[in-house]
């Protein structure tokens, strides 16, 4: 009766150990499958999306820099156009004043000619007035020639500025087209980036409960070994330590079991008894097997305890044990699963994808606008060269007019000296002055129209200058934003590559074709030991 009670008591640790090892094996397999499968899949998608986003961001940065350069060239061209327009406006003002003076001189000359025709008695007086009018006409013609020359120079400067603006517009058009083209991969990769980030967040959400359960299971195994269980005088670890120390060993995975030593001694006694009593034949061998199993079980429990606590059985150095490691893993996954971490990253990735789509649409609009601006500047360049050519002709005509009026002045003084030719000279003079008045009126109308055109050109170049400055500022901000985006995408890509490199999915095929099969076989082998001992103890109890 006493032996049966002892057999049942001795089987309790074996049963408990068997249950704990089975629970540890199930939790270990669940942890490997959940962790490696979801995290590896999400890391791969995140890495692929990040690489595409990084490539698109690099292209965006290059295109933005070219757009910024084109905007600077356009701003420089508009500065030249504005300067030329101002010079042209000043020249037109001078020409307008010269034409007014010329018109007044021509009118005075015409009046003198009429008076000269009226009578020979006023020939001297008329000749003097004609000389004075001729002097004024010469002065006005000189002013007109100077203004026409300035207008010609201003028109040439305007033409050169228009060419520079057109060349800058060519670069802007090329850069904006290239920006729009190279943003296409970024726009295409943005949805994949958002989807990958969401997959990572979902995988972490599924992983969090498993790591928490794993940490709790490991803690239960630790408590089962290192805390006093009901009906036991001390913890399992303390009992094994006392047994090994009694055998002259230390608490170590390779320590000797005193209980096993006693069983071996008993086996020797049974061998002796078997020589006398045949029914004891083979009992000693069975007892030695039981002793080996008992000693192996104690060593296995010590090895598990070392692993849980983080003690190297060879050097005795401490490291992060399975208890602390599982707690750290559970805590880390919980932090990743926090709404402010992985879920927020997934949401921000979606927002970034939407922003990239808007940016891609804006780049297309910029490309179309740059093309229209380039067409307008080509038209302006053609008109500016036409204006420069016309102003050159005007300057030549003004110079010819100044020379003629100088000759007219000389003739007027000659007329005052030679009154005998007054009649014939005054007829010719009257005809010439009439034509001169008509020509100056026509010239005055042309200068007024030229002045209106110059004002319109000045206002237009001012607007163009402001637009170019705004475009340069916008392109500068675009370049800075695209550079920041490229840096951020590079960091995302690096983090995704690191995550993918550190995780590998544990599939059933990989389990049976790689050394990872040991992660399953070792716990199974360890589980067979207490099961065998449990069966042996049950048989022994039945025999007794």
């Amino acid at each position: 009766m006493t032996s049966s009670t002892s057999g049942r008591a001795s089987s309790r640790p074996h049963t408990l150990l068997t249950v704990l090892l089975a629970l540890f094996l199930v939790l270990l397999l669940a942890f490997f499958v959940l962790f490696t499968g979801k995290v590896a899949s999400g890391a791969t998608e995140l890495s692929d999306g990040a690489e595409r986003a990084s490539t698109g961001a690099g292209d965006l940065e290059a295109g933005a820099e070219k757009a910024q350069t084109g905007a600077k060239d356009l701003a420089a061209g508009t500065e030249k156009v504005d300067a030329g327009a101002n010079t042209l406006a000043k020249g037109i003002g001078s020409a307008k004043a010269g034409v007014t003076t010329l018109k007044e001189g021509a009118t005075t000359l015409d009046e003198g000619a009429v008076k000269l025709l009226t009578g020979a008695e006023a020939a001297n007086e008329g000749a003097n007035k004609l000389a004075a009018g001729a002097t004024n006409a010469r002065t006005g013609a000189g002013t007109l020639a100077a203004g026409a020359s300035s207008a010609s120079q201003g028109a040439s400067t305007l033409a050169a500025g228009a060419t520079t603006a057109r060349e800058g517009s060519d670069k802007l058009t090329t850069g904006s087209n290239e920006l729009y083209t190279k943003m296409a991969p970024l726009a295409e990769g943005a949805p994949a980036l958002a989807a990958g980030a969401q997959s990572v967040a979902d995988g972490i959400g599924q992983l969090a409960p498993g790591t928490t359960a794993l940490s709790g299971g490991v803690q239960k195994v630790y408590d089962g070994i290192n805390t006093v269980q009901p009906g036991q005088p001390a913890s399992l670890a303390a009992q094994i330590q006392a047994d090994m120390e009694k055998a002259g060993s230390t608490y170590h995975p390779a320590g000797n079991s005193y209980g096993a030593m006693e069983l071996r001694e008993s086996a020797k006694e049974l061998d002796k008894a078997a020589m006398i009593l045949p029914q004891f034949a083979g009992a000693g061998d069975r007892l030695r097997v039981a002793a080996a199993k008992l000693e192996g079980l104690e060593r296995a429990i010590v090895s598990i305890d070392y692993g849980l606590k983080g003690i190297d059985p060879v050097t005795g150095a401490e490291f992060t044990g399975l208890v602390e490691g599982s707690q750290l893993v559970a805590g880390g996954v919980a932090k990743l699963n926090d709404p402010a971490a992985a879920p927020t990253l997934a949401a921000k990735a979606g927002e970034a994808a939407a922003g990239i789509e808007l940016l891609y649409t804006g780049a297309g609009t910029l490309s179309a606008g740059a093309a229209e601006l380039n067409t307008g500047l080509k038209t302006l360049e053609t008109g500016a060269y036409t204006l420069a050519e016309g102003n050159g002709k005007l300057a030549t005509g003004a110079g010819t007019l100044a020379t003629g009026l100088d000759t007219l002045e000389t003739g007027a003084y000659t007329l005052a000296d030679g009154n005998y030719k007054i009649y014939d000279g005054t007829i010719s003079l009257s005809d010439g002055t009439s034509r001169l008045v008509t020509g100056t009126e026509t010239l005055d109308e042309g200068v007024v129209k030229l002045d209106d055109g110059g004002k319109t050109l000045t206002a237009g170049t001012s607007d163009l200058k402001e637009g170019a400055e705004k475009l340069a500022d916008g392109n500068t901000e675009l370049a800075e934003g695209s550079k920041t985006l490229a840096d951020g995408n590079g960091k995302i890509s690096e983090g995704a590559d690191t995550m993918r490199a550190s995780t590998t999915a544990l599939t059933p095929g990989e389990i049976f074709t790689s050394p990872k099969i040991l992660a399953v076989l070792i716990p199974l082998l360890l589980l067979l030991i207490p099961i065998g001992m449990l069966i042996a103890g049950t048989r022994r109890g039945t025999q007794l």
Side-chain angles (χ1 to χ4, degrees), residues 127-499:
N128 290 332
K129 291 182 179 180
L130 178 60
T135 300
N136 292 332
R138 179 186 58 76
T139 303
T143 304
L144 174 62
S149 178
S150 298
S152 179
Q153 294 177 359
S156 298
T157 303
L158 173 62
T163 299
T164 302
R166 192 262 308 157
E167 292 173 352
S169 177
D170 291 339
K171 294 181 180 179
L172 175 61
T173 302
T174 302
S176 60
N177 289 335
E178 186 176 0
L179 171 64
Y180 181 69
T181 302
K182 290 190 176 182
M183 275 193 66
L186 177 61
E188 294 174 358
L193 172 63
Q198 186 61 48
S199 296
V200 172
D202 294 342
I204 292 174
Q206 297 178 10
L207 180 63
T211 56
T212 301
L214 174 63
S215 177
V218 171
Q219 185 64 46
K220 289 181 180 179
V221 173
Y222 178 83
D223 293 341
I225 295 176
N226 291 279
T227 60
V228 180
Q229 301 298 317
Q232 296 293 322
S235 66
L236 184 59
Q239 294 182 39
I240 294 175
Q241 182 177 2
D243 186 69
M244 288 185 173
E245 289 178 351
K246 191 173 182 180
S249 294
T250 60
Y251 186 70
H252 191 272
N256 297 321
S257 170
Y258 183 76
M261 293 174 60
E262 289 185 330
L263 289 176
R264 293 188 185 97
E265 292 297 326
S266 297
K268 293 179 181 180
E269 297 297 328
L270 286 175
D271 290 339
K272 295 177 181 179
M275 295 178 182
I276 302 173
L277 301 173
Q279 62 268 27
F280 289 107
D285 293 336
R286 290 195 294 272
L287 196 57
R288 275 186 285 272
V289 171
K293 291 181 179 179
L294 175 61
E295 190 171 56
L297 177 62
E298 289 185 1
R299 291 177 178 178
I301 292 174
V302 174
S303 296
I304 294 173
D305 195 27
Y306 268 45
L308 293 173
K309 294 177 180 178
I311 302 174
D312 190 326
V314 178
T315 63
E318 294 183 357
F319 58 91
T320 301
L322 188 58
V323 174
E324 184 180 357
S326 64
Q327 292 174 352
L328 292 175
V329 170
V333 173
K335 290 182 180 179
L336 288 176
N337 196 39
D338 187 88
T344 301
L345 174 62
K348 294 299 182 183
E351 295 177 1
I356 291 172
E357 182 65 26
L358 293 177
L359 187 61
Y360 181 62
T361 302
T365 303
L366 174 63
S367 177
E372 293 179 359
L373 175 63
N374 183 255
T375 301
L377 286 176
K378 288 179 179 178
T379 303
L380 175 62
E381 180 183 15
T382 302
Y385 278 106
T386 302
L387 178 62
E389 183 180 357
N391 280 325
K393 294 180 180 180
L394 176 61
T396 302
T400 303
L401 177 61
T403 302
L405 288 176
D406 185 70
T407 304
L408 177 62
E409 181 185 14
T410 302
Y413 282 106
T414 302
L415 179 62
D417 295 334
N419 286 327
Y420 65 93
K421 296 180 180 180
I422 187 88
Y423 183 74
D424 292 335
T426 53
I427 292 176
S428 299
L429 180 61
S430 178
D431 181 66
T433 53
S434 296
R435 294 180 181 181
L436 179 61
V437 170
T438 302
T440 54
E441 289 176 352
T442 303
L443 181 61
D444 182 66
E445 292 176 358
V447 171
V448 170
K449 293 181 180 180
L450 181 62
D451 183 61
D452 293 338
K455 292 179 180 177
T456 303
L457 178 61
T458 300
T461 52
S462 178
D463 294 340
L464 178 62
K465 181 180 179 181
E466 293 178 358
E469 291 175 351
K470 292 180 180 179
L471 179 61
D473 294 339
N475 281 323
T476 299
E477 295 177 357
L478 175 62
E480 294 176 354
S482 62
K483 184 176 182 181
T484 302
L485 178 61
D487 294 340
N489 281 324
K491 293 181 179 178
I492 291 176
S493 179
E494 293 175 0
D497 290 340
T498 302
M499 180 180 291

Side-chain angles (χ1 to χ4, degrees), residues 55-69 175 178-179 182 478-479 482-483 486:
T55 301
D59 295 340
L60 173 61
E61 181 180 0
E65 290 177 354
K66 292 183 178 179
Q68 186 179 11
T69 302
E178 186 176 0
L179 171 64
K182 290 190 176 182
L478 175 62
S482 62
K483 184 176 182 181

